Amino acid sequence: MIDVREILESAEMDEVIRAVDALRKRFSLRPIYQAEHEWPVALARVGRFRADVVLAILLSEEKYYPGYKEVLAAAFGGWLIVPRYAKLREALMMHAAVDFMEKAVASSGNDEPLTIKKDVLARYLFIGPEFLVEIFDCLGGYRAFADMPSFDELWGDIEYVEKTIITAARAIAYLHHAVDRFARPGFQFVPSLNKAVSVFDELKKKERGYPFKEKYVSRSLLHQRWSQNKQTLALLYAASSIQINRKTLLQLLLDGFFSYEDHGRYLHKWIGRARYVSDHIFSKMSDAELGLKTRRLLGDGPMMAFRPPKLDEMEVASFDECFRSYIK
């Protein structure tokens, strides 16, 4: 039987470690990264998900080891969709980790047969021991990754959430239109969820001409999402306003395709718009907790103004009916 301890403590092993350290010192492609940092699993899996800390890391210019922000961005996307569903968040972290490792292996030349040299290159230079220890091993190692569920498997259990999120984003769009038109000197206008719901109620009356049930959820589900996940609302609406190719950032989140590598460059625009939602809309509402939770998550920083989405003909008619007392 092989004595593992003897191998680990052998002179040959010491020589291997010295060689790997020398390789990393000479050829490492990574920039100098933060020596002091919290492990991703501590941020995303231990206790309450620390969304404000994760978001601050994603927005920062600080350099971390490769894969660090990729995995945290996946966790943040999962939390934003379903804050209380840790299983989805963890699955997205695993998929992000696998994607990162596959790209690292490809970078070492996967068009040729695997060799020990290529394995060392991929594992210790392109992936790195920090990633292997703090992410791969802490997420469960080989067994956990072999058994990880797909996004579709998990999302199938909570498919109604997507429609609820879209409804919440549209409700904020109605309030955005209302604030732009009526929250100015000469008008005593206080935006509220009930005012947005009244637009939905008008659309329901047009049931034969408007596919309300296909697009939106009931008042009770909307109120539930709004009251239980207030800190996510500005981000969801802001994401719906950002077009990336033929989809919105919100749809990419809902489809499980949000990634730091592909969409990290949109982060400052996204958060800037979310801060604008908080200041331009939420600060005018009577629900002080909504603004407080949003500001606590987004932190201080620049705002980025944007226009609300265009309403279709029936939405315009419903909006005008609900806000006719303000229309001069």
Side-chain angles (χ1 to χ4, degrees), residues 113-128:
L114 178 67
T115 63
I116 293 177
K117 288 183 179 180
K118 287 174 59 177
D119 184 61
V120 170
L121 173 61
R123 190 181 301 270
Y124 297 110
L125 270 73
F126 293 155
I127 297 176

Side-chain angles (χ1 to χ4, degrees), residues 146-163:
D147 297 335
M148 68 180 181
S150 70
F151 179 77
D152 289 338
E153 287 173 330
L154 292 171
W155 193 237
D157 296 335
I158 49 172
E159 58 185 12
Y160 74 89
V161 173
E162 179 172 354
K163 191 184 288 188

Side-chain angles (χ1 to χ4, degrees), residues 279-299:
D279 180 77
H280 186 59
I281 303 172
F282 292 174
S283 67
K284 297 175 175 63
M285 300 175 72
S286 58
D287 184 355
E289 186 183 41
L290 175 60
L292 179 63
K293 287 188 172 183
T294 303
R295 290 191 300 274
R296 187 180 297 154
L297 170 62
L298 299 179

Side-chain angles (χ1 to χ4, degrees), residues 43-301:
L43 291 167
R45 293 182 71 186
V46 179
R48 179 184 62 86
F49 180 70
R50 294 156 66 189
D52 54 341
V53 177
V54 171
L55 182 57
I57 290 172
L58 296 177
L59 290 171
S60 76
E61 298 300 323
E62 299 289 352
K63 302 295 183 183
Y64 296 85
Y65 60 79
Y68 185 88
K69 286 189 176 181
E70 284 80 356
V71 169
L72 284 182
F76 187 80
W79 170 82
L80 189 60
I81 296 170
V82 196
R84 291 172 173 79
Y85 194 21
K87 194 174 181 181
L88 177 67
R89 183 167 68 243
E90 291 172 9
L92 287 173
M93 291 174 71
M94 289 186 185
H95 283 283
V98 168
D99 288 344
F100 171 75
M101 289 188 290
E102 285 180 344
K103 289 172 183 175
V105 171
S107 297
S108 67
N110 61 359
D111 55 335
E112 299 175 3
L114 178 67
T115 63
I116 293 177
K117 288 183 179 180
K118 287 174 59 177
D119 184 61
V120 170
L121 173 61
R123 190 181 301 270
Y124 297 110
L125 270 73
F126 293 155
I127 297 176
E130 299 89 358
F131 182 94
L132 294 172
V133 171
E134 297 183 14
I135 295 177
F136 181 79
D137 188 59
C138 284
L139 286 175
Y142 290 106
R143 181 179 296 276
F145 279 80
D147 297 335
M148 68 180 181
S150 70
F151 179 77
D152 289 338
E153 287 173 330
L154 292 171
W155 193 237
D157 296 335
I158 49 172
E159 58 185 12
Y160 74 89
V161 173
E162 179 172 354
K163 191 184 288 188
T164 306
I165 287 173
I166 291 171
T167 306
R170 204 61 179 176
I172 300 173
Y174 297 148
L175 296 180
H176 193 169
H177 276 279
V179 168
D180 281 2
R181 291 177 65 177
F182 312 127
R184 59 180 187 269
F187 289 83
Q188 290 186 340
F189 175 74
V190 179
S192 69
L193 176 59
N194 286 334
K195 285 184 170 65
V197 169
S198 68
V199 180
F200 288 128
D201 289 341
E202 285 296 320
L203 287 172
K204 277 187 191 178
K205 295 176 183 178
K206 303 174 175 59
E207 189 170 349
R208 291 185 178 179
Y210 198 84
F212 179 86
K213 291 182 180 179
E214 295 175 19
K215 288 188 169 187
Y216 305 120
V217 297
S218 65
R219 175 193 292 251
S220 61
L221 284 176
L222 173 57
H223 273 279
Q224 184 180 49
R225 174 77 200 197
W226 191 284
S227 62
Q228 294 180 2
N229 305 283
K230 292 181 178 181
Q231 66 273 37
T232 68
L233 296 171
L235 280 168
L236 293 173
Y237 175 57
S240 74
S241 74
I242 297 173
Q243 198 76 23
I244 302 175
N245 296 324
R246 295 186 178 182
K247 289 191 174 184
T248 64
L249 179 57
L250 178 59
Q251 195 58 56
L252 291 169
L253 284 159
L254 293 172
D255 291 342
F257 293 145
F258 173 71
S259 74
Y260 185 79
E261 181 180 9
D262 294 333
H263 310 114
R265 63 185 182 275
Y266 296 98
L267 270 171
H268 286 280
K269 178 179 182 179
W270 181 19
I271 305 309
R273 289 191 174 193
R275 290 188 182 120
Y276 177 73
V277 172
S278 179
D279 180 77
H280 186 59
I281 303 172
F282 292 174
S283 67
K284 297 175 175 63
M285 300 175 72
S286 58
D287 184 355
E289 186 183 41
L290 175 60
L292 179 63
K293 287 188 172 183
T294 303
R295 290 191 300 274
R296 187 180 297 154
L297 170 62
L298 299 179
D300 296 326

